[in-house]
Amino acid sequence: MRVLVTGHDGYIGTVLVPLLQASGHEVVGLDSHLYGGCTFGSPPDPIPAIRCDVRDVTADQLRGFDAVLHLAAISNDPVGDLNPETTLDLNYRGTSHLGRVAKQAGVERFVFSSSCSLYGAGGQDVLDESAAFHPVTPYGESKVLAEQALSALADDDFSPTYLRNATAYGVSPRLRGDLVVNNLTAYAFLTGEVLLKSDGTPWRPLVHIEDIARAFVASIEAERTAVHDEAFNVGRADENYRIREVAQIVEDVVPNSRVALADSAGPDLRNYRIDISKIQRHLPAFKPEWTVRAGVEELYEAYQRNGLTSEMFHGPALSRIRHVASLIEEGQLDDLLRWREMALKVG
């Protein structure tokens, strides 16, 4: 298939692209390159790409593609909280626009990188895809609205699929230090403390980014009837954890480390577990391979190999919120997270 990956230069995209290529697909990227300077280790191999904000994509740019895999978004709660209206503009309205122009261009398959964060305050139940939405952040709310907008476009010619990813972890050329497994492992490596910023009681499903990428590949290779206008929780049945259990795994893996509570540690409203039996039924080709323990081992080795320092970890390269805030402060981004130079060119 000829596949367009939006956000190909980001945390998940730089892992997804090689897997798509290894599966024999022709891949083109589309990215505003917001995180182009956020490299950890070796940079990703370049691929043919369109430099564009998803809010500005035209149907002409999408003609000839068999599928669009849509990852580009404000990627986490802290950045989403920076400007909630911008989060809705990019994650919801941008996704809705992309879906409309993809349909206009004749793209048949559209796979959306959604999130289990739309369950939000999910309580103690194990949630399947029919569960009610309780988002507690603008990021989670934007995923609900985006799924609904894409579903309204579904018909015989346009087939959207929604992958509700569990909380991601794992090594990437565009590593994020703000994700819980990556973050706890880095603190343990740098300070000897597995620093919990909540009280450790919330439940969270976790999934390695390579396994998220495998779900995308399985989705576009599946029969259309198996995935048409369907949502899937993406993770593993045995990978729902309380955060304190994750901290204990990190303590076990990272030598001479111990679990500690931050002074501000308290309850976290985000609390949910997921059922993944639906993706097992509909996408038997999706076979996740990673566990949290293996991911922590991978991260620890990568931190050693690349000489992670406190300056690197706390700097803009690994902190999405610091990176975005610094670009706004420098005048390179406007309040809607558009590059000012690109806006001038378009204008």
Side-chain angles (χ1 to χ4, degrees), residues 15 26 40 48 56 73-74 94 124 127 130 141 157 183 189 194 201 208 240 246 273 279 286 293 295 306 309 321 330:
V15 173
E26 177 188 351
F40 181 75
D56 301 324
I74 291 176
Q124 299 302 312
L127 306 175
S130 67
E141 182 182 354
D157 300 315
N183 185 273
F189 175 76
V194 189
T201 60
H208 195 284
N240 287 292
V246 178
R273 291 183 285 173
I279 196 170
F286 170 60
R293 180 173 292 274
N306 292 288
T309 65
I321 185 68
E330 293 166 5

Side-chain angles (χ1 to χ4, degrees), residues 64-81:
F65 288 102
D66 301 301
V68 169
L69 308 187
H70 179 37
L71 281 72
I74 291 176
S75 57
N76 64 359
D77 292 327
V79 178
D81 292 340

Side-chain angles (χ1 to χ4, degrees), residues 205-259:
L206 299 165
V207 64
H208 195 284
I209 51 175
E210 281 188 11
D211 289 337
I212 292 174
R214 289 186 179 95
F216 273 93
V217 176
S219 295
I220 62 169
E221 294 180 350
E223 292 293 331
R224 184 184 191 274
T225 53
V227 297
H228 175 69
D229 199 25
E230 295 283 354
F232 299 100
N233 293 337
V234 178
R236 288 178 53 140
D238 54 353
E239 293 286 286
N240 287 292
Y241 291 93
R242 290 190 186 275
I243 298 301
R244 66 189 179 206
E245 295 172 333
V246 178
Q248 186 60 60
I249 292 172
V250 174
E251 183 183 77
D252 291 344
V253 170
V254 179
N256 303 314
S257 65
R258 62 180 181 83
V259 176

Side-chain angles (χ1 to χ4, degrees), residues 148-171:
Q148 293 170 342
L150 292 172
S151 183
L153 297 171
D155 61 18
D156 291 343
D157 300 315
F158 183 73
S159 183
T161 303
Y162 325 107
L163 297 183
R164 295 176 182 169
N165 304 317
T167 299
Y169 65 88
V171 175

Side-chain angles (χ1 to χ4, degrees), residues 121 139 143 171 215 280:
Y139 172 78
K143 294 297 187 180
V171 175
Q280 292 175 319

